[in-house]
Amino acid sequence: MTALLTIIVLVFILVAIWQMVKIFDLAQAKNENTQVATDKDNTMNAYLMMGFLAFIYIITIVCFVKWGDLPLMSNSASEHGPTIDNLMIISMVIIFITQTITQFLLHYFAYKYKGEKGKKALFFADNNKLEAIWTIIPVIVLAGLIIYGLNTWINIMGVDESDDPLVVELYAQQFNWKARYGGADNTLGKANVRLIDIDRANILGLDESDPNAQDDVITTELHLPVGKPVLFKMRSQDVLHSAYMPHFRAQMNCVPGMITQFGFTPTVTTVAMRETPQMQEKIKRINNIRVENSKPLLAKGEDPLESYEFDYLLLCNKICGKSHYNMQMKIVVETQEEYDAWIKEQKEFKNSLVN
């Protein structure tokens, strides 16, 4: 109801402004009105262009100083993370330098070559040298970025099976994630959404006759051993999802009807990441905000907001429905010993079925 009233009020305001503009136009009807800009108009617009240029540079500097998190990205927790960060930083530096130069030239030329009575513009119908320069330079820069990016992508996606990676399936559905481990043989059993049987608690559609599926482990929390290569196999039950693990610089679409994959090696445990100065500062800042926001709740006799504790997260990075924003799963990176102890506590698929 509040939104409807707000829209109605905005409509009335717009109608009122429109009527005021019409009245102003009628009042100016007797005055001489021409669409041809005068020298005064051109001079004013020239100075406004330079003023806007100054505004762009000032607001950029303010954003860097106040909100910039230099060196932009520094909390990657996977083996390939620094390479992705380096590629991103190089791209952003090139873009920043290019936009700084081009924006200056655009606004300065508008100022310097503003229209003046009696002045005729000098122009070139074509200039092969200039066209070659502004074509070749972008081609070289973009080709370098593309080749570097492709090489980085090939190295990331080229998971070496001889390293005996831990095989984990990420199963997406509106609006939650499930993780499936291959068990003692590290081999995932066959699965198909058509085999889903809720009555028997076969929630991922595993083939109950497949020997490799018997020791599979299905969990609602993703545990990974630090320093161990992990190969993710991804499925979707319903719509297009995207498995996004920001701290591991990993993302891959989960497409209904097919299996996609992505691999990486986690390098920083959850506990170690929590102890970094950057993360401790973030946790402190968030908890201070929660303390302030809890005061009105406490005044009403309600429970305060819970304290924030950092955890790695698996998020969905595709808008998949009304609860997309809350589609996430906790990721725990731990030592091999801690992982082994945790996986032993989980129930195998053959023991989780309901007869």
Side-chain angles (χ1 to χ4, degrees), residues 63-75 89 278 281-282 285:
C63 289
F64 267 120
V65 172
K66 191 169 183 179
W67 295 292
D69 186 16
L70 300 176
L72 301 178
M73 292 165 291
S74 58
N75 60 354
I89 290 170
Q278 182 186 23
E281 181 182 350
K282 175 183 177 181
R285 185 170 64 251

Side-chain angles (χ1 to χ4, degrees), residues 40-59:
K40 182 179 179 181
D41 295 331
N42 290 329
T43 300
M44 180 183 69
N45 281 292
Y47 282 114
L48 285 174
M49 290 292 282
M50 294 305 292
F52 188 69
L53 177 64
F55 170 77
I56 292 175
Y57 288 154
I58 291 171
I59 201 68

Side-chain angles (χ1 to χ4, degrees), residues 1-6:
M1 189 62 180
T2 302
L4 178 61
L5 290 174
T6 303

Side-chain angles (χ1 to χ4, degrees), residues 147-204:
I147 293 172
Y148 180 27
L150 283 175
N151 185 59
T152 301
W153 178 253
I154 291 170
N155 290 336
I156 293 171
M157 297 302 293
V159 179
D160 191 352
E161 299 284 351
S162 64
D163 291 337
D164 189 27
L166 174 67
V167 180
V168 182
E169 179 185 73
L170 296 179
Y171 186 83
Q173 64 182 125
Q174 294 174 313
F175 297 96
N176 63 73
W177 295 95
K178 297 289 190 298
R180 177 162 67 107
Y181 295 82
D185 58 3
N186 197 32
T187 302
L188 294 171
K190 297 177 182 178
N192 192 303
V193 292
R194 294 181 177 85
L195 299 177
I196 292 176
D197 188 344
I198 301 300
D199 294 334
R200 285 181 52 76
N202 187 355
I203 57 177
L204 302 191

Side-chain angles (χ1 to χ4, degrees), residues 3 21 33 38 44 90 108 175 213 275 293 296 301 310 326 345:
V21 170
N33 188 13
T38 64
M44 180 183 69
I90 291 173
Y108 177 70
F175 297 96
E275 293 175 352
N293 291 340
F310 169 80
N326 201 33
E345 296 174 355

Side-chain angles (χ1 to χ4, degrees), residues 287-305:
N287 283 328
N288 286 339
I289 294 173
R290 293 195 174 190
V291 168
E292 291 299 317
N293 291 340
S294 293
K295 290 179 180 179
L297 298 176
L298 292 171
K300 296 177 184 177
E302 300 177 10
D303 294 332
L305 298 174

